[in-house]
Amino acid sequence: MIQRFSAGCAMATIAIATLGAAPAFAQAAPSTVAADEPVAAEADAGEQIVVTGAIAESQAASIREKRIAVNLVDVAAADAVGRFPDQNSAAALSRLPAVAVQRDQGQERYIQIRGAPNRWTSVMIDGVPMIGVDEGGDTRAFRFDAVPAVLLSSMVINKSLTPEIPADAIVANVDLRTWSPLERKGLHVVGDLGYGFMDLGKGEQRQGSLRVSWANDSFGVVLGGSHYRRKQLTDNREVGAYDAPSSSTDTTFGPTEFDIRQYEIERWNNGLFGGIEYEPVEGQRIWAKAIFTEFNDDEQRNQYELRLDRAVSGTRNLDEGNLVSVPMRGSFNYGEYRNRNYIGAIGGDYTTDDGFTANVRLNYARTDNTSYLPLVQSSTSGLNSPSLTYDRSDPLFPVVTLYNTVSNGGVRARGTTVLSAFDQTTLNNADTILIAARQRTVSDSYTVKLDLSQKLDRLTLSAGGFYADRTIAGNNFSFVNLVRIGALGASVGQPFDVNSFVTDTPWDTGFPLGFTLNYADNRAMRDALDTLLPKLAAAGFYNPADDVPVTDRYRQMEKTLAGYVMASADLDDLLLTGGVRVEHYRLINGGTAVIDKVQTPLSVKQTRTDLFPSVNARLSLGESFVVRLSGQRGVSRPAYGAIRVGSSINGTTSPGTITGGNPGLEPEYTWGVDGSAEYYLPGNGLISVAAFHRWVDNVFYQNAQVVGSDVFDSNGVDRSGYLLTSTFNGQNGKLYGVELSYQQQFSFLPSPLDGLGFQGNVTLLDGKFDTQVVDGAQQKGIAFQGLSDTIWNASAYYEKYGLSARVSYQWRSDWLDSLGGFGSGESRKSYGNLDVSLRYQVNENFTLFADAANLTNEKYIAYQDTLEQPTEVEQIGSRYMFGVRFNF
């Protein structure tokens, strides 16, 4: 840790020449500061100030809000979002201290704050708690790629909690806030239009947004929407697995398969929102909002697997191989992923001159996540399986040389003909299968929230209540229903030949391989499947109900009733805020277990009541120095799929076995402390150092161990001694780190250099946990999922004469990408992203922009144990966008 700290300090010193802002604000109702009004010199603590002017103005307001905040917070304001090439809220949040992103196909999806698992961060949209149900409920982590950044007025990260914030946040709570129609008087139209391209494959990018608002002194209305679409290619190479070495010096083991993939992807985000606010007199406001966001992904898969471990003969190791008759399996699909959020909210805010405030919110939120991947697979056989040699001089890109396979006296052998291309029409169509992979999870949530406070001279007393009623129904991603479409198609009058969909168009790839491949027409293949499957179903050859087995399904109802009390004392230079939140949580967990091939309904109920105290102290030492200290307790509840009772139970073995969820899984709990020292520089600059520590109980990990409870008992059968393969609670873990942040505009420099500025941050992290002791054995020192021990962001900007230019770089070190357990896991290699943003204000109404992202053309690499054993290498290339922003 000392070495990392020293290295981080060195990076921070360098970054001080090119770094920037980490804005923040206190939790409260927004103030109404118009874009053309100056930022007030003084404001009540708790006001949100949104500045839509220049970078420096936005930075100044953000710094001030950080200074007056009750708790430790960071924020990205709307102007900061607009000056980065960020299409979704995950990308925008990654500019803030201690925030890293997880990408899918190169696109930002989840965030990880302070190196913690993404499930340890909770999310609200306009104060509405949102629960993630991504891809089968394997995690409660929220998908930020479903929320376009242009919908938001600000994004707040609460790194320390106060009692009015939901307790299900171990490291942070993120509040995504949309626009208020009373922010600006009169009629205003704001938007943008952009068009660009992806470097790999030259697929198009396009975006557009429009927000129209009107307001007078008492009434305001806003309507808006956004659209972003990209067409991209993704180069991908994977290794199925590596043989287990017989000893530490064994060099004869090698890869079991080479997986050659390219994806043709079309992704688009849409967002719609509307709001009405009425404030007849100052301090009395009623409002209503509606929000819809969606993420869509149409994905064509072109994939061939060289199944090295199934070769007829030959040798292979980590460095090279010489194999005879290696089966080649093709996998193709035209799949669909959808994630949608529907939010409706109404509320009222009431404030009196004697310091009393009341706020009420009623919300409905629905999240619907669906996936359908009709995967077609077929393999070569006999002499159609090519022979090959491979060279792994570069482990990331094995170079394969293909040869024909011949028969010598009935024994297959490598021929002498080198094949420059694999004949993709030689798959064994009779054995072609369809795996109709499906997933859907839907969450419906109703919430009511009431907050009351009374200011009494230097003391402010607060109390409130919260009720949430959620229903979650869905299934894990299911891949079990196999249909032999190659053999059955002709029997229903529609033959299916996988080889007929091969085109004459070669792959557009930047990865070396050693031979060439052509694209398959996945769209035509999907059309053929959509016609074929109803005929197979009518003939009794295919049952769509079997796509999702009952053991993968779950239906859960959870109810949370919470209340809190809080007091805040203003003791001149010291502000003390403390209180306690009590939450009563009830879960009804239903599903079906298959017990010795018999379906048996099971239901498990859980009820618990927890106290979550928190305290925050802010000490101002003079005009420029602020010190903070806070403590809190938080919780992270298990994912819906992880605790499902749906399972497959086999009582014929000794001991019996169970595969499925673990309804006995306990929540993860934490005690945590945070501290920071903040020095406010002249000219709206800031240097800050923050540190934190979290002690976490019941850390989730994967294992196979004895159930140890009665949750799977039925019909008088005791199954507490069965062996369950699932998620379990580990022993205590620790997560801790230091955050260094610097931001300033060099307004003290002579013109034209006074337009220079920078912002940046470095975070140094460490943390591990231990598993349970099982049969006398225990795994110690397992890294947390997603923990990079170093994260840093840096950007330099120049803003003057109508020009606004920014160069930004983000970097994170290696991290574990899978839930700990089973003795090993997949890790991800460090990477950095370089982005450039240019803006030129033509006049007060129009601004031209140009964005370039991922200019380093980064490769995203996963590996097993060491980089000598990569499991995935992926690249999407750079992307470019050009357009205009308008404001009337």
Side-chain angles (χ1 to χ4, degrees):
M1 183 71 183
I2 298 297
Q3 292 178 342
R4 287 198 300 272
F5 186 86
S6 300
C9 289
M11 282 190 291
T13 303
I14 297 172
I16 283 179
T18 54
L19 303 182
F25 75 165
Q27 290 287 310
S31 65
T32 54
V33 179
D36 55 353
E37 293 177 354
V39 179
E42 297 293 333
D44 293 336
E47 287 185 330
Q48 175 192 348
I49 299 177
V50 176
V51 180
T52 58
I55 294 176
E57 293 173 346
S58 180
Q59 180 173 298
S62 299
I63 289 174
R64 184 180 178 281
E65 288 305 317
K66 184 177 183 70
R67 184 171 182 171
I68 67 173
V70 171
N71 57 329
L72 182 59
V73 294
D74 291 316
V75 65
D79 180 71
V81 173
R83 295 178 187 273
F84 287 107
D86 301 328
Q87 270 72 43
N88 66 54
S89 50
L93 285 165
S94 70
R95 311 290 174 178
L96 297 179
V99 179
V101 296
Q102 289 177 273
R103 288 174 165 84
D104 176 70
Q105 305 282 7
Q107 191 171 11
E108 301 85 353
R109 172 163 294 180
Y110 301 111
I111 65 168
Q112 294 172 279
I113 297 177
R114 291 174 162 177
N118 51 33
R119 64 181 184 273
W120 287 1
T121 296
S122 63
V123 177
M124 302 184 294
I125 297 181
D126 284 332
V128 181
M130 299 296 295
I131 302 297
V133 294
D134 186 24
E135 296 186 1
D138 284 339
T139 173
R140 286 194 180 213
F142 183 76
R143 285 185 56 156
F144 288 86
D145 55 5
V147 182
V150 294
L151 265 69
L152 306 173
S153 64
S154 58
M155 294 171 286
V156 184
I157 298 180
N158 296 284
K159 292 182 176 177
S160 68
L161 303 182
T162 51
E164 79 272 18
I165 299 175
D168 55 344
I170 285 184
V171 293
N173 169 273
V174 178
D175 192 5
L176 307 176
R177 301 190 176 217
T178 59
W179 289 94
S180 165
L182 287 178
E183 287 185 2
R184 301 177 69 180
K185 301 296 188 293
L187 176 65
H188 294 277
V189 179
V190 179
D192 68 79
L193 291 171
Y195 189 84
F197 63 92
M198 309 291 294
D199 189 48
L200 179 60
K202 300 301 184 287
E204 69 172 9
Q205 282 193 105
R206 64 175 187 254
Q207 71 178 43
S209 68
L210 180 67
R211 186 179 77 246
V212 180
S213 64
W214 179 86
N216 57 21
D217 291 335
S218 60
F219 179 80
V221 59
V222 60
L223 293 172
S226 70
H227 171 77
Y228 170 72
R229 183 181 296 263
R230 69 200 286 180
K231 295 180 180 180
Q232 72 177 62
L233 295 179
T234 301
D235 265 339
N236 182 283
R237 301 288 186 269
E238 298 190 16
V239 172
Y242 291 88
D243 296 323
S246 59
S247 68
S248 60
T249 59
D250 182 10
T251 60
T252 62
F253 75 102
T256 62
E257 77 175 39
F258 293 147
D259 194 339
I260 307 156
R261 305 186 188 192
Q262 191 173 76
Y263 298 93
E264 296 179 85
I265 295 171
E266 184 170 7
R267 289 184 167 180
W268 65 99
N269 298 70
N270 292 314
L272 296 171
F273 64 99
I276 298 174
E277 294 189 8
Y278 177 58
E279 189 175 33
V281 297
E282 185 176 358
Q284 298 180 21
R285 180 185 299 195
I286 57 175
W287 52 266
K289 284 187 177 182
I291 304 169
F292 168 76
T293 70
E294 67 172 350
F295 168 85
N296 305 275
D297 182 1
D298 284 357
E299 188 170 294
Q300 298 184 59
R301 178 192 302 225
N302 292 274
Q303 175 183 350
Y304 289 92
E305 302 158 64
L306 288 162
R307 311 182 81 177
L308 308 178
D309 58 344
R310 302 192 181 197
V312 169
S313 61
T315 61
R316 59 186 170 89
N317 56 44
L318 276 179
D319 298 323
E320 59 187 6
N322 187 339
L323 300 169
V324 174
S325 192
V326 176
M328 176 84 91
R329 180 168 68 181
S331 297
F332 316 94
N333 79 356
Y334 180 71
E336 301 166 354
Y337 300 85
R338 303 288 184 264
N339 186 275
R340 294 184 171 92
N341 296 296
Y342 309 82
I343 302 169
I346 58 174
D349 305 297
Y350 178 77
T351 303
T352 65
D353 293 337
D354 61 358
F356 175 77
T357 63
N359 309 101
V360 62
R361 278 115 175 86
L362 294 88
N363 309 289
Y364 168 72
R366 178 183 177 92
T367 299
D368 189 342
N369 192 94
T370 62
S371 304
Y372 176 44
L373 276 68
L375 184 64
V376 175
Q377 288 189 329
S378 189
S379 297
T380 60
S381 59
L383 298 180
N384 285 329
S385 296
S387 298
L388 61 83
T389 61
Y390 67 81
D391 178 3
R392 291 185 76 248
S393 298
D394 181 353
L396 299 181
F397 301 110
V399 175
V400 177
T401 302
L402 294 184
Y403 298 85
N404 66 321
T405 300
V406 298
S407 177
N408 288 333
V411 177
R412 275 179 269 178
R414 193 183 86 185
T416 59
T417 303
V418 177
L419 305 177
S420 61
F422 168 63
D423 186 353
Q424 295 167 252
T425 64
T426 59
L427 299 177
N428 187 352
N429 187 68
D431 291 333
T432 300
I433 63 171
L434 168 70
I435 305 173
R438 295 182 185 272
Q439 174 273 322
R440 187 183 185 193
T441 300
V442 178
S443 168
D444 286 290
S445 178
Y446 299 85
T447 63
V448 179
K449 189 173 187 289
L450 174 66
D451 299 284
L452 306 171
S453 70
Q454 176 67 59
K455 188 174 183 179
L456 305 169
D457 192 18
R458 295 188 172 210
L459 181 67
T460 301
L461 302 177
S462 304
F466 172 80
Y467 176 72
D469 188 331
R470 295 191 183 97
T471 301
I472 306 96
N475 66 280
N476 279 18
F477 226 134
S478 302
F479 299 86
V480 297
N481 197 9
L482 277 62
V483 185
R484 297 199 170 275
I485 55 177
L488 295 173
S491 66
V492 294
Q494 181 160 339
F496 185 92
D497 183 1
V498 67
N499 298 304
S500 67
F501 298 101
V502 178
T503 72
D504 295 328
T505 305
W507 282 16
D508 184 1
T509 176
F511 284 178
L513 179 57
F515 60 94
T516 62
L517 291 165
N518 289 345
Y519 289 109
D521 189 342
N522 286 284
R523 291 179 182 270
M525 191 182 301
R526 172 67 184 273
D527 290 341
L529 288 174
D530 290 345
T531 304
L532 174 61
L533 289 180
K535 295 180 179 180
L536 293 178
F541 296 129
Y542 166 62
N543 183 2
D546 294 337
D547 289 350
V548 181
V550 293
T551 56
D552 283 353
R553 298 181 184 274
Y554 50 83
R555 181 175 177 83
Q556 297 161 6
M557 292 175 284
E558 60 178 15
K559 302 179 189 294
T560 303
L561 179 62
Y564 74 90
V565 293
M566 178 174 66
S568 185
D570 186 356
L571 307 175
D572 295 324
D573 294 331
L574 177 64
L575 180 67
L576 286 175
T577 303
V580 63
R581 183 181 184 91
V582 57
E583 290 192 357
H584 178 75
Y585 177 82
R586 184 173 183 232
L587 173 68
I588 301 176
N589 185 0
T592 301
V594 176
I595 304 174
D596 299 332
K597 300 182 179 181
V598 177
Q599 294 187 14
T600 304
L602 294 178
S603 180
V604 175
K605 297 181 181 179
Q606 296 179 359
T607 302
R608 64 182 74 245
T609 301
D610 292 305
L611 295 176
F612 298 99
S614 64
V615 61
N616 286 268
R618 185 193 72 206
L619 177 63
S620 299
L621 302 174
E623 295 296 323
S624 303
F625 197 63
V626 173
V627 177
R628 301 179 189 274
L629 184 65
S630 65
Q632 64 186 46
R633 186 172 189 250
V635 65
S636 175
R637 306 193 189 279
Y640 306 112
I643 59 172
R644 73 185 192 280
V645 297
S647 54
S648 180
I649 302 175
N650 183 2
T652 63
T653 61
S654 183
T657 60
I658 305 175
T659 302
N662 181 3
L665 201 61
E666 295 289 329
E668 297 168 301
Y669 289 98
T670 183
W671 288 97
V673 294
D674 294 83
S676 70
E678 303 158 7
Y679 183 65
Y680 293 86
L681 302 168
N684 297 313
L686 171 66
I687 297 176
S688 68
V689 179
F692 73 96
H693 198 298
R694 296 290 186 269
W695 292 267
V696 187
D697 299 333
N698 303 331
V699 179
F700 300 152
Y701 74 104
Q702 293 178 338
N703 204 11
Q705 62 191 60
V706 172
V707 174
S709 70
D710 62 358
V711 295
F712 290 105
D713 293 356
S714 65
N715 300 323
V717 178
D718 179 7
R719 299 189 179 91
S720 60
Y722 281 27
L723 193 65
L724 172 63
T725 300
S726 190
T727 304
F728 291 87
N729 292 115
Q731 294 188 349
N732 301 345
K734 297 179 181 179
L735 176 67
Y736 48 92
V738 177
E739 304 169 15
L740 311 173
S741 180
Y742 174 75
Q743 56 179 318
Q744 191 171 29
Q745 184 184 25
F746 296 132
S747 56
F748 51 85
L749 293 176
S751 181
L753 299 180
D754 55 349
L756 287 171
F758 43 81
Q759 61 183 47
N761 49 79
V762 178
T763 305
L764 309 173
L765 301 161
D766 203 354
K768 289 179 172 55
F769 72 95
D770 300 334
T771 69
Q772 295 181 27
V773 178
V774 180
D775 296 330
Q778 183 184 33
Q779 297 181 58
K780 288 182 172 288
I782 298 178
F784 289 110
Q785 183 181 16
L787 176 62
S788 293
D789 58 20
T790 305
I791 303 168
W792 63 278
N793 299 289
S795 70
Y797 67 85
Y798 182 83
E799 190 167 54
K800 197 168 185 179
Y801 309 121
L803 174 67
S804 176
R806 190 189 295 256
V807 179
S808 307
Y809 188 78
Q810 300 173 306
W811 188 85
R812 66 180 300 187
S813 61
D814 295 16
W815 74 97
L816 182 69
D817 196 36
S818 56
L819 200 62
F822 291 123
S824 65
E826 184 179 61
S827 296
R828 291 275 171 177
K829 185 183 180 301
S830 62
Y831 68 85
N833 281 95
L834 177 67
D835 304 329
V836 174
S837 300
L838 299 174
R839 307 283 184 270
Y840 181 72
Q841 186 173 354
V842 178
N843 53 42
E844 64 179 7
N845 301 121
F846 293 99
T847 299
L848 302 178
F849 71 86
D851 293 330
N854 189 27
L855 290 178
T856 51
N857 198 18
E858 195 66 30
K859 297 181 181 68
Y860 305 107
I861 300 169
Y863 61 91
Q864 174 184 312
D865 298 331
T866 71
L867 285 174
E868 292 298 309
Q869 300 179 50
T871 55
E872 181 182 21
V873 182
E874 188 172 84
Q875 190 172 40
I876 67 165
S878 306
R879 55 184 173 89
Y880 305 89
M881 180 76 77
F882 310 92
V884 59
R885 300 180 187 276
F886 50 88
N887 185 352
F888 298 96

